[in-house]
Amino acid sequence: MTREELIKNIKSKQSFLCVGLDSDIKKLPAHLLSEPNSIFAFNKAIIDATAPYAVAYKPNMAFYESLGAQGWTALEETVSYIQNNYPDQFIIADAKRGDIGNTSTLYARSFFEHLGVDAITVAPYMGQDSVSPFLGYDSKWVVLLSLTSNKGSHDFQLTEDKNGKRLFENVIETSQQWASDKEMMYVVGATQGKMFADIRKIAP
C-alpha cells in the first residue's frame, strides 16, 4: 500500500484505528476452541466487527509463532482473509526483527513475498545493515522502533550523548538517511505522547 492510499483511507474513514491481533489461545472464548482453527475464527470475528472503523491490523508474531505450524497457518489465513475481504486495510507484521545480512533478507522475503503484509516492525540497533534488506520493496514499509512504551525504554532510548541528544532522537535522525517517508514509519509508544513534538521536529 502506498502512502497516498493509506492517507486516503484515513481521511475517508476519519480514523487512525489500528487493531492489534494479539490472539492468545489460552484466553479465547470457550465456544471457539472447537473450531478447526480457533485463532483464525477469533481473528475473523474481530476483523469483521472492526473493519468499518479501522485502517490497519497488526498481528504480533509471538502469538502465532508460539503455536508452531498451527499458529503460522492461522496467521496466513488471517492475512489472506483481510486481503481478500478488506483490501483497503494496512497490515503490519509486528515482528520486531533486527538481524543482519542474509538473515534479514530472508525475514523480508518471508513477510513481504510469502505473507504479503504491507509493513513490518524492525529494531534498528544493529544499524543500517539490519534495516536495509527490508527496504526497496514496492509499496512496502519498515516501521522502525524508535521510542517504545515500556518502562525499560528509559534504560537506553532516553540516554543522552555529550550534546544532550537522546538515543531515540539519533535513531530517527540517522535512519532518515536510509529511506524516505514513502517506505519508513516510526514506532512511538502511546505513553510517550509528550515527546511527539520533539519527534516531529526531527521527522515532520
Side-chain angles (χ1 to χ4, degrees):
M1 181 178 292
T2 66
R3 174 185 170 90
E4 291 73 22
E5 289 169 336
L6 179 58
I7 291 174
K8 181 180 178 181
N9 201 25
I10 289 169
K11 289 182 176 179
S12 174
K13 292 187 176 181
Q14 297 186 340
S15 171
F16 290 104
L17 179 63
C18 173
V19 178
L21 296 173
D22 304 349
S23 305
D24 187 345
I25 197 166
K26 294 183 179 180
K27 296 181 180 179
L28 295 191
H31 72 276
L32 290 178
L33 297 179
S34 61
E35 295 284 341
N37 192 327
S38 53
I39 292 288
F40 171 67
F42 181 70
N43 286 350
K44 180 179 180 297
I46 295 294
I47 293 162
D48 288 340
T50 58
Y53 318 103
V55 296
Y57 289 95
K58 182 176 67 65
N60 185 303
M61 293 305 102
F63 291 87
Y64 302 90
E65 292 170 349
S66 65
L67 298 174
Q70 175 191 358
W72 191 259
T73 297
L75 176 64
E76 290 178 322
E77 291 184 359
T78 297
V79 171
S80 179
Y81 183 76
I82 296 170
Q83 291 171 334
N84 290 329
N85 294 276
Y86 305 103
D88 63 338
Q89 296 291 343
F90 190 74
I91 306 174
I92 306 166
D94 192 1
K96 299 181 178 72
R97 298 301 192 246
D99 215 318
I100 55 175
N102 284 339
T103 308
S104 277
T105 298
L106 291 173
Y107 279 139
R109 190 183 303 170
S110 173
F111 287 100
F112 290 150
E113 296 182 25
H114 176 70
L115 269 181
V117 298
D118 297 293
I120 181 172
T121 55
V122 176
Y125 291 99
M126 290 179 73
Q128 182 177 3
D129 49 348
S130 68
V131 178
S132 57
F134 297 95
L135 298 168
Y137 281 85
D138 186 40
S139 301
K140 302 294 185 182
W141 295 79
V142 165
V143 187
L144 206 67
L145 298 179
S146 55
L147 184 60
T148 58
S149 59
N150 60 306
K151 183 179 178 181
S153 66
H154 292 256
D155 293 342
F156 300 113
Q157 296 168 31
L158 298 181
T159 56
E160 298 181 2
D161 64 17
K162 63 182 180 181
N163 298 315
K165 185 176 291 186
R166 292 164 292 189
L167 179 58
F168 79 86
E169 293 173 312
N170 273 314
V171 167
I172 295 172
E173 190 173 87
T174 301
S175 65
Q176 287 185 87
Q177 301 170 32
W178 307 341
S180 73
D181 61 2
K182 294 184 182 296
E183 55 183 338
M184 185 178 287
M185 304 177 184
Y186 296 96
V187 172
V188 178
T191 59
Q192 308 284 10
K194 63 184 180 181
M195 300 192 191
F196 283 173
D198 294 338
I199 290 171
R200 284 177 172 153
K201 291 176 185 176
I202 307 169

